[in-house]
Amino acid sequence: MANFNTTQPTKQLIAGYCGIICGGFGVHKFVLGYTPEGCIMLIIALVGGYFTYGISLLIMQLVGLIEGMIYLNKTSEEFVDTYFVNKQGWF
C-alpha cells in the first residue's frame, strides 16, 4: 500500500469533479499528473473537434464524465492504489 497523505483525497475530488465538468479537455488527467494522456485528450478534443464539427469533443467529454464518476466512486485506498501506485492512465 502506498504512503497515504492528505493531498491524495483532495486530488481524488478535484480530478473527479474536473472529469465531470470539463473532462473533454483532459483537465482531470493533468490534475493526477498524467501529462501525456491529458495532452492526447486535449489534442483530440481541439483538433479533432475542429475537423469533425465537435463530435470528437463530445466523445472526449463522455470519456471524461465516465472517468470522473469512476474516480469519485472509488474509496481513497483504491484510488491511491490504482492511480498513484499502479499508474493506470485510462479508465
Side-chain angles (χ1 to χ4, degrees):
M1 177 121 159
N3 292 334
F4 187 74
N5 61 32
T6 58
T7 61
Q8 290 163 340
T10 305
K11 282 188 178 184
Q12 180 179 4
L13 288 175
I14 292 172
Y17 291 139
C18 284
I20 291 171
I21 295 169
C22 54
F25 299 110
V27 176
H28 59 289
K29 297 289 188 184
F30 291 113
V31 168
L32 292 176
Y34 295 127
T35 306
E37 290 89 348
C39 289
I40 289 169
M41 288 186 75
L42 184 63
I43 290 170
I44 290 173
L46 294 179
V47 176
Y50 177 76
F51 290 112
T52 62
Y53 300 106
I55 293 173
S56 64
L57 175 62
L58 291 174
I59 293 170
M60 287 293 105
Q61 183 62 39
L62 182 64
V63 169
L65 176 72
I66 292 168
E67 286 184 338
M69 291 188 307
I70 289 172
Y71 295 163
L72 293 175
N73 284 323
K74 287 188 178 285
T75 64
S76 295
E77 292 82 18
E78 288 176 337
F79 183 78
V80 169
D81 287 340
T82 304
Y83 299 107
F84 290 111
V85 176
N86 297 330
K87 297 286 187 184
Q88 179 181 347
W90 298 98
F91 293 103

